[in-house]
């Protein structure tokens, strides 16, 4: 079954009329979306909190008080600050035509003026939120590795080496990600133990939030750059638009876990096998 699109309809600012907002909320429900309504007189911070808590795909802001030029961009700014800017923001209400270019440049995806058919609003949300089926020509080649977050590689290794009997291939520090990685060979794949090198490391944040455990699954591909641009074109949200350097000189990029039921997937491409110096051709 397809996941329902979740929309937060929000009334920022001081105006006291929500008939229009309620009409939109009902219309989007009729279109099969799940709609949460914040009620009147919300601050941008309250709206962003509610959007994150309710895990919505889209925020529809409605403002009649004339303060849209301050309130709407503030919502977008706070979403960015909370790293939730994958949430689509649209606006409506009494908005003069001449303010629309400013609002759109401030990150409001689209402004609907009074009289816009609710079908159009629903179609716009659907088109922007639901990834179209992506035409990927071939599946990834294999599971390259499973990344496991640990507080200390040294403390974790005895289980992997002595209990599971896996072979430690080596350790490497990836400065860009502030992480130290231990590679354990398992058939064609690997387990990677990830230890944060500092409090700003994404792995440190993961450990604080969720504790030790599986952090990500990495899928091997051989067309990373093209694949990323095709995913992006198809509206799939990515944590990295372009490849970045991972361990073993691999090029890597992460997909946003939101669309994968909370699982963080990495796509990685390893450079062609490096010949050892002096080895026969
Ligand atoms: Co990885």
């Amino acid at each position: 079954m397809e996941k329902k699109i979740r929309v937060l309809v929000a009334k920022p600012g001081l105006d006291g009329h929500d008939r229009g907002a309620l009409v939109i909320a009902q219309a989007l429900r009729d279109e099969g979306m799940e709609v949460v309504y914040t009620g009147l007189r919300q601050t941008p911070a309250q709206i962003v909190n509610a959007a994150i808590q309710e895990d919505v795909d889209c925020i529809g802001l409605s403002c009649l008080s004339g303060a849209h030029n301050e309130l709407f961009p503030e919502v977008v700014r706070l979403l960015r600050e909370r790293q939730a800017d994958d949430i689509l923001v649209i606006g409506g209400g009494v908005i003069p035509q001449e303010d629309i270019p400013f609002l759109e440049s401030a990150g409001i995806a689209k402004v609907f003026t009074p009289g816009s058919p609710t079908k159009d609003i629903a179609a716009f949300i659907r088109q922007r939120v639901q990834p179209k089926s992506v035409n990927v020509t071939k599946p990834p080649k294999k599971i390259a590795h499973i990344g496991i977050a640990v507080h200390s590689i040294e403390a974790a290794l005895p289980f992997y080496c002595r209990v599971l009997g896996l072979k430690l291939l080596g350790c490497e520090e990836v400065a860009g990600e502030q992480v130290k990685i231990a590679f354990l060979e398992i058939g064609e794949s690997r387990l990677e133990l990830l230890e944060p090198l500092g409090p700003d490391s994404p792995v440190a944040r993961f450990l604080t939030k969720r504790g030790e455990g599986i952090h990500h699954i990495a899928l091997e591909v051989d067309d990373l750059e093209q694949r990323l641009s095709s995913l992006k074109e198809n509206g799939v949200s990515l944590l990295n638009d372009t490849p970045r350097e991972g361990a073993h000189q691999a090029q890597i990029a992460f997909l946003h876990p939101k669309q994968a039921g909370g699982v963080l997937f990495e796509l990685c491409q390893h450079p062609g096998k490096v010949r050892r110096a002096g080895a026969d051709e």
Side-chain angles (χ1 to χ4, degrees):
M1 205 185 74
E2 220 168 278
K3 190 176 160 268
K4 280 194 173 181
I5 295 177
R6 291 174 65 78
V7 182
L8 184 78
V9 171
K11 292 280 304 176
L14 296 175
D15 73 79
H17 302 277
D18 59 2
R19 223 173 67 88
L22 290 171
V23 168
I24 297 287
Q26 189 53 50
L28 296 178
R29 278 191 197 111
D30 293 344
E31 290 278 340
M33 300 181 188
E34 278 172 18
V35 181
V36 182
Y37 174 54
T38 59
L40 290 166
R41 301 194 183 88
Q42 300 288 301
T43 64
Q46 287 171 320
I47 293 169
V48 167
N49 275 335
I52 291 170
Q53 262 169 29
E54 296 284 347
D55 191 26
V56 298
D57 306 293
C58 171
I59 301 176
L61 296 170
S62 162
C63 181
L64 308 174
S65 70
H68 47 267
N69 282 347
E70 293 83 55
L71 296 169
F72 288 10
E74 181 63 5
V75 169
V76 174
R77 191 189 69 76
L78 289 169
L79 284 173
R80 267 187 207 133
E81 200 176 276
R82 304 275 301 270
Q83 295 179 326
D85 50 343
D86 58 313
I87 297 176
L88 178 75
V89 181
I90 59 173
V94 181
I95 314 261
Q97 276 299 333
E98 62 264 29
D99 289 348
I100 292 179
F102 164 75
L103 291 171
E104 291 185 346
S105 73
I108 314 303
K110 195 163 170 75
V111 174
F112 293 93
T113 46
S116 306
T118 50
K119 287 248 173 257
D120 291 2
I121 302 176
F124 180 81
I125 295 173
R126 207 170 274 126
Q127 181 218 334
R128 291 291 294 267
V129 166
Q130 258 171 6
K132 290 174 227 144
S133 59
V134 181
N135 195 8
V136 178
T137 43
K138 50 186 176 183
K141 290 155 76 174
K142 63 174 187 182
I143 292 179
H145 60 264
I146 294 174
I148 298 170
V150 297
H151 290 294
S152 154
I153 285 177
E154 203 191 335
L157 270 182
F159 171 80
Y160 291 95
C161 298
R162 293 198 205 129
V163 179
L164 296 183
L166 299 178
K167 185 175 151 203
L168 176 65
L169 295 173
C171 282
E172 184 177 329
E173 291 190 2
V174 180
E177 306 283 336
Q178 287 198 59
V179 71
K180 183 176 167 190
I181 307 177
F183 305 95
L184 295 146
E185 184 179 48
I186 174 159
E188 290 203 301
S189 300
R190 292 189 315 230
L191 298 183
E192 293 191 358
L193 305 182
L194 312 166
E195 176 188 319
L197 290 173
D200 295 331
S201 159
V203 175
R205 288 199 294 271
F206 178 91
L207 286 168
T208 309
K209 216 167 134 190
R210 313 218 337 217
E212 290 189 315
I214 293 179
H215 178 266
H216 67 271
I217 297 178
L219 306 175
E220 179 84 31
V221 299
D222 54 12
D223 55 358
L224 183 59
E225 229 177 311
Q226 302 90 297
R227 200 178 279 255
L228 287 176
S229 46
S230 123
L231 291 172
K232 202 179 158 193
E233 264 167 38
N234 284 284
V236 175
S237 56
L238 307 169
L239 294 183
N240 313 113
D241 284 359
T242 49
R244 48 196 291 163
E245 178 117 348
H248 286 351
Q249 288 140 30
Q251 296 292 303
I252 66 170
F254 288 95
L255 308 186
H256 200 291
K258 193 170 163 174
Q259 65 219 334
V263 180
L264 179 60
F265 280 101
E266 172 191 326
L267 299 178
C268 66
Q269 179 171 7
H270 286 88
K273 279 218 172 69
V274 181
R275 284 175 202 285
R276 242 174 275 139
D280 287 336
E281 283 293 309

